[in-house]
Amino acid sequence: MKISKICCIGAGYVGGPTMAVIAKMNPNIQVTIVDINQERIDAWNDEDVSKLPIYEPGLAEIVAETRGKNLHFSTEIDKAIDESEMIFISVNTPTKTYGKGKGMAADLKYVELCARNIADVAKSDKIVVEKSTLPVRTAQAIKSILHNTGSDVKFDILSNPEFLAEGTAIQDLLNPDRVLIGGESEEAIEALANIYGSWVPQDQILRTNVWSSELSKLTANAFLAQRISSINAISELCERTEADVSEVARAIGMDSRIGSKFLNASIGFGGSCFQKDILNLVYIARSYGLNEVADYWEQVIILNDHQKRRFSDNLISTLYNTVSGKKIAMLGWAFKKDTNDTRESAAIYVADHLLNEQANIAVYDPKVPSKKVYSDLDYLQTRSQEENKDLVETFDNPYDAVKDAHAIAIMTEWDEFKTYDWKKIFELMKKPAFIFDGRNILNKDKMTEIGFEYSSIGK
């Protein structure tokens, strides 16, 4: 089957970059990204590509190159569904906050709404591609909805999980380790494989059944998150035994069986996928009565939460067991560098803990807007919006953020933090001036030479 028109439902962190790259590499295919959020679509259509709703290195250039030619952003969802031969579902699948599976299972209401919308609108045969991170057997639910419409329209369901790391998403798309396509229809699988094949070698395009594809996505994220929690567990041991976690990580990373990636000790992992996917895995295992399997993977989350709490507890105890009325400058709010995504960012939970201890928080992040900082804290519902506004102040300049601060907490590993005039920062702060380096990005000897009381993870 030759595809000439693609529709992607969902203009978020997955849909936007993925479709932009597909459009760039397939100029003969018209790609339309649709979303119900008018403000978001307007941002994607903004003439100034620096104002796109998502920050990813390289994304703005690709959008500028393809937008208006074969890449389009619209709120006309029904029109795009009707005209396309292939539809990607790339909507949010948050962890349930209610009912059965609360706190663990994926909330599939947005996926189901998409499937029902496609079923209502489609008048011709469609290939429907799961792009959102979804639990195993979701394709079966989509298939059930689409195949019971009472119409003669034929729907082929494919699972095509994304393996993108925010901050490097464009490079991950342009040079993927592998592309995974799960499905039953060989014709549908090959139609999607041909689209990726315009730039990805065919031997890197894996074809599986739907269930293997869905489970592979959850498992990949679980294994990566497990490595982070593993090295963070060792970081606590290092602090008690005078070992250096970076030296330990380097030593074990040189073992070819282990490898060096995802062995940087830190304040813990964040982002939209790691925690959600592991909780999903835990929920699935428990639903089949596999309690030992569930307990094993749940421990990865427990240790990650412990690492965040340990960081804030250490900060409080070092500041003479009280941060009440003290100004803590937090450098970084995004969950990692080179993205403006803050979902499950460690900064949110550390700030919340410090606010419970009546600290005053000053936040600077080069890419996260002020309103996002407040909405992240308000979402926790720990205190009123007014209290958050009173206790938290955001800044556009790092030197303003650190002025008169008792301590600095480095929450995101932005490269620019390494280039600051730290002597100037020391002069601006209250003394003794403390740095709590949650990402181990600064040089301890240089910081102590300037005069800082410096502490990091696992050293």
Side-chain angles (χ1 to χ4, degrees):
M1 181 190 288
K2 189 89 171 148
I3 302 297
S4 63
K5 289 188 176 179
I6 289 174
C7 160
C8 175
I9 305 174
Y13 282 89
V14 175
T18 303
M19 292 302 118
V21 170
I22 284 178
K24 173 183 168 65
M25 307 310 279
N26 294 273
N28 57 319
I29 297 177
Q30 291 295 317
V31 179
T32 303
I33 303 175
V34 292
D35 201 291
I36 57 171
N37 186 330
Q38 182 72 58
E39 185 183 352
R40 172 163 283 213
I41 291 297
D42 289 345
W44 278 112
N45 282 321
D46 197 305
E47 284 186 23
D48 182 354
V49 290
S50 70
K51 294 180 179 175
L52 297 180
I54 289 164
Y55 174 73
E56 275 290 335
L59 175 61
E61 290 80 0
I62 293 176
V63 170
E65 177 189 335
T66 55
R67 192 176 58 188
K69 295 174 185 171
N70 70 320
L71 179 65
H72 314 279
F73 298 90
S74 170
T75 53
E76 295 184 80
I77 297 172
D78 289 0
K79 181 173 183 282
I81 289 172
D82 179 45
E83 293 178 352
S84 61
E85 299 112 354
M86 182 177 283
I87 302 164
F88 286 79
I89 296 178
S90 190
V91 295
N92 196 16
T93 51
T95 302
K96 281 185 79 174
T97 56
Y98 59 90
K100 187 181 179 186
K102 176 182 176 181
M104 284 201 176
D107 190 341
L108 300 179
K109 65 181 177 185
Y110 303 113
V111 173
E112 183 176 335
L113 286 169
C114 279
R116 293 189 182 281
N117 198 8
I118 293 166
D120 290 342
V121 172
K123 302 183 194 70
S124 56
D125 295 352
K126 309 287 182 190
I127 297 172
V128 178
V129 184
E130 290 179 343
K131 199 67 191 168
S132 303
T133 301
L134 297 165
V136 183
R137 301 193 82 85
T138 302
Q140 196 65 41
I142 295 172
K143 184 177 178 181
S144 174
I145 292 166
L146 293 175
H147 286 192
N148 286 287
T149 60
S151 73
D152 296 328
V153 176
K154 175 173 173 261
F155 296 100
D156 288 312
I157 320 299
L158 300 179
S159 168
N160 175 220
E162 50 83 18
F163 297 102
L164 307 179
E166 287 181 48
T168 59
I170 297 301
Q171 284 308 310
D172 294 341
L173 284 161
L174 291 171
N175 302 289
D177 292 332
R178 75 288 197 204
V179 171
L180 188 55
I181 303 172
E184 296 172 359
S185 162
E186 192 173 328
E187 185 185 10
I189 289 171
E190 292 313 310
L192 182 53
N194 287 336
I195 291 168
Y196 283 110
S198 64
W199 80 96
V200 180
Q202 283 295 328
D203 60 359
Q204 286 174 237
I205 301 175
L206 306 182
R207 296 144 172 95
T208 69
N209 70 38
V210 171
W211 297 279
S212 295
S213 175
E214 290 176 327
L215 187 56
S216 295
K217 168 61 178 174
L218 297 186
T219 305
N221 277 346
F223 271 58
L224 293 173
Q226 178 197 46
R227 283 175 69 91
I228 297 170
S229 282
S230 294
I231 198 65
N232 282 341
I234 299 303
S235 76
E236 189 167 6
L237 190 58
C238 286
E239 289 167 25
R240 298 295 176 91
T241 58
E242 297 184 23
D244 183 327
V245 72
S246 59
E247 293 177 354
V248 173
R250 184 163 174 254
I252 65 170
M254 290 176 76
D255 186 325
S256 60
R257 297 166 301 175
I258 297 172
S260 60
K261 292 182 178 178
F262 282 78
L263 289 180
N264 291 325
S266 71
I267 196 170
F269 59 76
S272 62
C273 284
F274 280 2
Q275 177 155 318
K276 179 180 73 173
D277 287 0
I278 294 173
L279 290 172
N280 222 323
L281 204 55
V282 171
Y283 181 72
I284 292 165
R286 289 216 199 288
S287 71
Y288 287 112
L290 307 175
N291 291 322
E292 291 80 6
V293 175
D295 290 346
Y296 176 82
W297 287 110
E298 189 172 20
Q299 190 60 40
V300 174
I301 299 291
I302 291 168
L303 205 134
N304 193 54
D305 290 340
H306 167 69
Q307 188 77 346
K308 289 181 279 194
R309 187 64 181 228
R310 194 169 77 80
F311 181 84
S312 46
D313 282 344
N314 179 50
L315 190 153
I316 294 164
S317 63
T318 305
L319 264 62
Y320 318 113
N321 286 319
T322 179
V323 289
S324 179
K326 292 178 180 175
K327 179 179 176 180
I328 312 298
M330 297 183 77
L331 296 183
W333 194 261
F335 85 91
K336 65 184 285 193
K337 72 173 184 175
D338 293 336
T339 179
N340 60 350
D341 193 353
T342 65
R343 287 174 290 181
E344 293 300 325
S345 174
I348 301 169
Y349 298 97
V350 171
D352 189 55
H353 186 196
L354 296 176
L355 289 170
N356 286 341
E357 297 289 329
Q358 300 180 348
N360 293 306
I361 305 289
V363 178
Y364 168 75
D365 187 288
K367 291 295 178 185
V368 177
S370 176
K371 66 178 183 179
K372 190 73 183 83
V373 173
Y374 291 115
S375 68
D376 286 337
L377 289 169
D378 293 342
Y379 181 78
L380 297 179
Q381 298 185 328
T382 311
R383 61 196 69 76
S384 69
Q385 292 183 11
E386 292 73 25
E387 285 176 293
N388 284 331
K389 278 277 188 187
D390 286 343
L391 293 168
V392 179
E393 190 174 0
T394 61
F395 292 85
D396 296 327
N397 181 300
Y399 297 99
D400 293 337
V402 302
K403 190 174 187 301
D404 293 327
H406 294 78
I408 291 172
I410 296 178
M411 310 305 296
T412 311
E413 69 281 19
W414 287 103
D415 290 334
E416 72 173 60
F417 295 165
K418 302 175 196 174
T419 68
Y420 289 169
D421 184 343
W422 285 97
K423 285 182 181 175
K424 178 181 175 182
I425 288 173
F426 179 74
E427 289 163 8
L428 288 168
M429 290 175 66
K430 300 271 191 194
K431 308 299 183 295
F434 294 90
I435 293 177
F436 297 89
D437 190 347
R439 298 292 174 180
N440 289 357
I441 61 172
L442 300 180
N443 183 296
K444 179 182 180 180
D445 292 339
K446 286 182 182 174
M447 293 301 114
T448 51
E449 190 180 319
I450 290 169
F452 287 106
E453 298 287 332
Y454 176 87
S455 69
S456 55
I457 306 282
K459 303 190 183 195

